[in-house]
Amino acid sequence: MTQTLLLTDALFLQHDPGPEHPECPARLARILSLLDSQPIPGTERRAPRPATDEELAAVHSPRLLEALKGLRGKSTSLDPDTALSPDSYDAAVLAAGASVQAVEEVMAGRARNAFALVRPPGHHAEPEQAMGFCLLNNAAIAAEAARRLGAQRVLIFDWDVHHGNGTQAAFWKRRDVLYMSAHQFPYYPGTGAPTEIGEGEGLGYTVNCGVPGGSGDADYGALCERLFLPVARAWRPDLVIISAGFDAHREDPIGGMVVTERGFAAMCTAFQQLAREFCGGRLVLLLEGGYSLEGLSRSVHACVEVMAGRREEHFVEGVSRDVADALRRSREALQPHWPVLGQ
C-alpha cells in the first residue's frame, strides 16, 4: 500500500487565466518545487486520468458541460474572475479525474490517503454555473464517485477562506454527503451564513461557520473542536474529503486570515485522526485556493508531512470573542439536528 499518493500533471500548469491573475500556474509550480527540494518519505507521485463524461454529469448539468466543452482550445472569460486559456478545459477535466482517482485509490486500499494537487480549483463551481476561478467542482465529483464505490456517508470539510457555494449547492437537499465549511464571512461569494443548514432530506447536513478576518490558528482550532469534529464523529463518515484551500494563510494577498502552516497541519492531523477512527484512515485532500506562493507551498508541504506520518500534536488554545459568537450561532442553528452540540 502507498502511504500518501500525490496526483498531479504538467497539464495543470497550462491552465493560464492571464497575467496578474492570482490563480496562476506558479502556485502549483512552487508546491512541486518545494516537494522536490524537501522530499517527504512515504509519498508517491503519479499522473492522473481525466474524468469521464459520466463522472462529470453526476454533478453538472448537460448545459454547463456542453458550454465548457465548446470553449476547449479557446481563450475567453466567463466572468471578471474566471478566465480560460486554450488548455483550461482539458486541465479542468483532468483535475476532476485526479480527484476521482484519489478517491478510487483510497477506497480500494491501494493508498492510505491521497492529495490531488490540481488546477483549476473547484469548490465555487455550481451544478449549473462555473465561477470564482472554478470550472468543475472537483470535491462534489469526487464525493459522487465515493458514493458509487459504496461509501454510505461522505464527509467534505472545506477550509478554504472562501465559502464553497458550489459544493454546498450540489448536496443541499441530501443527507449522504455532509458538507462542512470554515470560511471568512461576510466575504466572496456571500454565502455560508450559519442558518444555511440544508433543506428537505438534507436539513442539518450542511454545516457552516463563517468567521471575521483576522482569525488564526487558535480560532480555527476552536471551530474544529467545538463544531466540526463533534458533528463529524456523530455522523461516522466512510470517507473524509478536504477541500484544501490555503488562502486563510497569514501571508495570503486575497484572504484576511492569519492561519499558519502549522495551523493547517493541526487541522489535517485532526481530520486524519477522525478518518482513522471511523473509516480506516480513508482521507483525500483536493487543492483549492491559496495565493501566497510561499504560504501555499509551505502549507501543502506541512499537510503532506502529516498525511505521511508526522503529527501536529495540538491546536493552539484560545479563541477571539467574535469567533466565539460565530460558533454560538452555528451551534444554535444545528443543535436541533445534532444533539451532540448541546452537550
Side-chain angles (χ1 to χ4, degrees):
M1 175 190 289
T2 300
Q3 169 68 26
T4 298
L5 176 62
L6 307 177
L7 290 165
T8 195
D9 193 276
L11 180 59
F12 299 136
L13 301 174
Q14 299 303 115
H15 165 57
D16 186 1
E20 308 304 321
H21 197 288
E23 208 291 278
C24 59
R27 298 176 59 243
L28 180 56
R30 188 66 61 89
I31 291 170
L32 298 178
S33 176
L34 184 58
L35 289 170
D36 286 338
S37 64
Q38 298 180 27
I40 300 171
T43 63
E44 177 185 343
R45 195 181 301 181
R46 291 187 214 156
R49 65 164 177 84
T52 66
D53 290 344
E54 292 76 17
E55 288 164 346
L56 301 180
V59 170
H60 294 290
S61 70
R63 182 196 62 80
L64 175 62
L65 294 176
E66 193 63 29
L68 290 176
K69 194 171 186 178
L71 299 175
R72 185 180 190 184
K74 299 179 181 179
S75 294
T76 188
S77 294
L78 302 180
D79 59 41
D81 297 316
T82 313
L84 289 81
S85 59
D87 291 312
S88 294
Y89 174 77
D90 288 337
V93 173
L94 189 61
S99 304
V100 171
Q101 187 174 343
V103 166
E104 290 173 334
E105 295 298 305
V106 169
M107 290 290 291
R110 293 186 292 267
R112 193 173 305 278
N113 51 50
F115 201 148
L117 297 169
V118 301
R119 295 180 58 251
H123 72 151
H124 291 310
E126 298 188 345
E128 296 273 355
Q129 181 180 1
M131 60 178 286
F133 307 172
C134 304
L135 304 183
L136 299 167
N137 195 306
N138 302 321
I141 291 166
E144 290 285 15
R147 289 287 293 118
R148 291 192 299 274
L149 290 169
Q152 298 298 306
R153 296 177 303 279
V154 180
L155 168 64
I156 301 175
F157 177 44
D158 188 337
W159 69 42
D160 191 281
V161 80
H162 304 98
H163 180 248
N165 57 293
T167 315
Q168 174 172 290
F171 303 111
W172 183 247
K173 295 182 179 181
R174 288 171 51 177
R175 60 192 307 148
D176 53 345
V177 178
L178 173 63
Y179 176 68
M180 308 195 305
S181 177
H183 50 274
Q184 188 170 334
F185 186 83
Y187 201 39
Y188 181 88
T191 51
T195 53
E196 294 175 26
I197 62 171
E199 184 180 346
E201 286 293 313
L203 190 63
Y205 291 86
T206 293
V207 178
N208 281 305
C209 194
V211 294
S215 302
D217 293 355
D219 299 306
Y220 275 72
L223 301 186
C224 290
E225 292 186 330
R226 302 183 196 177
L227 177 64
F228 298 121
L229 289 170
V231 171
R233 291 189 185 105
W235 198 53
R236 306 176 66 88
D238 297 319
L239 172 71
V240 177
I241 297 173
I242 296 179
S243 270
F246 296 94
D247 36 9
H249 193 277
R250 62 184 177 183
E251 297 173 14
D252 197 89
I254 291 181
M257 301 301 194
V258 292
V259 179
T260 70
E261 51 265 36
R262 297 269 60 89
F264 287 116
M267 287 193 287
C268 191
T269 297
F271 278 84
Q272 178 165 262
Q273 183 57 41
L274 173 81
R276 287 172 176 167
E277 185 177 352
F278 292 105
C279 52
R282 291 190 289 271
L283 174 70
V284 168
L285 270 66
L286 310 175
L287 184 63
E288 299 283 1
Y291 307 102
S292 160
L293 300 185
E294 293 302 320
L296 169 64
S297 58
R298 293 198 308 268
S299 297
V300 169
H301 195 276
C303 287
V304 175
E305 286 183 317
V306 167
M307 296 169 74
R310 184 183 185 277
R311 182 178 175 86
E312 190 72 21
E313 287 297 335
H314 301 292
F315 287 121
V316 179
E317 295 183 0
V319 60
S320 70
R321 178 179 297 179
D322 287 342
V323 170
D325 287 343
L327 262 171
R328 176 185 52 78
R329 290 191 294 271
S330 292
R331 287 171 60 94
E332 287 177 352
L334 288 155
Q335 187 176 335
H337 309 282
W338 298 101
V340 67
L341 296 177
Q343 297 174 4

